[in-house]
Amino acid sequence: MTSPIKPPEGNWWDQPINRRESIWLGIGVGWSVILFGWMSAFTRIGDQNPIGETYRVEAEDYRDKLQAYVDEGTDTEEGLVPPGDDVYIGAGQFYWDGLPVVLETGQEYDFHLAAYDVQHGFSVRPEHTLSKQINLQVLPGYEWIVPMEFDEPGTYRVLCNEFCGDGHEAMHGRIIVQEG
Ligand code: CUA
């Protein structure tokens, strides 16, 4: 059988490398080193890094903390008015503990997020533009404190956007934001 590809002739492997090829190889290696360094740097200085603080917490302890917070807050028809700047939210299969909550615009709140069982997704979306959203992961074993402020009054939906079991799609909550 004949091949359409001609076999190379002579001592083809022992040729000096073309200068251009060396230069491009050098650029390739240099660029890889820069990207490698940047990967490491970006996890430290990038804007995408999560803000706030995270603490280890047992689900039961977090449940107690949240209950104490609910007891201190004011229950209204629309939802819970928190006693201070802290807002506690617990994610469980398949509900948002602590919601609905009534907040004010122009005030910075410290959102405390933790899960009771499995990983959930905390997705906050204004009711009139559901495609506008922020999404955070809520993990069991950790309490994540995230500062948040609402600019516009309105109703914000809280949806779970991490598949967490049979009932995940029903995991809804609400944040009601009033003019402060
Ligand atoms: Cu909780 Cu999906």
Side-chain angles (χ1 to χ4, degrees):
M1 202 171 107
T2 52
S3 164
I5 303 167
K6 267 204 206 159
E9 281 167 27
N11 184 13
W12 57 271
W13 59 87
D14 200 16
Q15 303 287 328
I17 298 174
N18 187 295
R19 217 175 100 77
R20 282 195 196 172
E21 197 171 353
S22 311
I23 291 170
W24 279 113
L25 273 173
I27 291 172
V29 170
W31 185 237
S32 315
V33 171
I34 290 169
L35 287 183
F36 186 78
W38 182 235
M39 268 197 304
S40 165
F42 206 52
T43 59
R44 292 169 174 81
I45 61 173
D47 274 346
Q48 83 291 343
N49 288 341
I51 53 169
E53 286 158 19
T54 310
Y55 299 95
R56 276 245 175 229
V57 70
E58 293 300 324
E60 277 318 302
D61 296 339
Y62 190 76
R63 221 185 267 274
D64 292 346
K65 261 206 240 186
L66 195 143
Q67 194 50 53
Y69 149 86
V70 169
D71 292 344
E72 249 189 85
T74 315
D75 221 358
T76 70
E77 241 173 61
E78 292 200 276
L80 181 84
V81 177
D85 295 342
D86 290 288
V87 176
Y88 284 81
I89 296 172
Q93 285 164 316
F94 302 94
Y95 60 97
W96 292 106
D97 207 4
L99 296 182
V101 75
V102 183
L103 306 178
E104 289 185 355
T105 55
Q107 186 177 336
E108 189 176 292
Y109 293 94
D110 281 329
F111 273 67
H112 298 244
L113 304 169
Y116 295 145
D117 33 46
V118 298
Q119 181 170 0
H120 298 273
F122 180 72
S123 183
V124 184
R125 312 170 182 206
E127 199 164 52
H128 57 277
T129 325
L130 289 171
S131 56
K132 207 167 148 188
Q133 54 192 275
I134 64 153
N135 299 294
L136 303 172
Q137 291 293 320
V138 189
L139 299 165
Y142 296 94
E143 177 177 349
W144 185 9
I145 305 170
V146 191
M148 260 193 245
E149 187 178 325
F150 292 85
D151 295 332
E152 291 165 24
T155 300
Y156 292 77
R157 301 282 187 97
V158 178
L159 310 174
C160 180
N161 67 344
E162 182 68 47
F163 183 72
C164 53
D166 187 11
H168 151 78
E169 69 285 350
M171 201 169 153
H172 294 175
R174 259 173 309 130
I175 297 171
I176 290 109
V177 180
Q178 297 174 342
E179 200 76 61

